[in-house]
Amino acid sequence: MSRWRANVHVTLKPVVNDPPGLAILGALQNLGYSEVEAVRSGKYIQLYLLAGAEEEAAEAVDAMCRRLLANPVIEDYTFTLEKE
């Protein structure tokens, strides 16, 4: 068994409204960063898991994302794996 770190990025689909992103955009522009045109917010999650091979770890993380970490109706996800 090897220890793996999964770096998971969950983002809203492009067609979904992003109120936190709009709030961040407004705050940045109020601070003088007028060059910022748009902001999309999301989540970053690190998982540490034990798996025999990278393929096994990837299958487990993909299942976790589909079942809990991301809402497939409004969110997309990507992840990378690093052997610890």
Side-chain angles (χ1 to χ4, degrees):
M1 286 283 211
S2 298
R3 186 169 193 244
W4 298 87
R5 181 178 74 203
N7 302 301
V8 181
H9 294 266
V10 180
T11 55
L12 290 170
K13 291 186 176 186
V15 296
V16 176
N17 192 21
D18 184 4
L22 293 174
I24 294 166
L25 173 64
L28 288 170
Q29 290 179 341
N30 285 339
L31 289 171
Y33 298 104
S34 58
E35 66 273 17
V36 178
E37 295 180 340
V39 175
R40 297 293 289 177
S41 64
K43 299 181 278 189
Y44 171 69
I45 304 162
Q46 277 189 335
L47 302 171
Y48 297 87
L49 65 149
L50 297 174
E54 184 173 2
E55 182 178 300
E56 182 184 335
E59 288 174 5
V61 173
D62 188 57
M64 291 176 211
C65 289
R66 283 184 283 108
R67 295 184 69 197
L68 177 68
L69 302 177
N71 178 343
V73 174
I74 62 169
E75 294 175 319
D76 291 321
Y77 65 88
T78 60
F79 63 89
T80 59
L81 287 170
E82 296 178 26
K83 194 171 187 178
E84 290 279 302

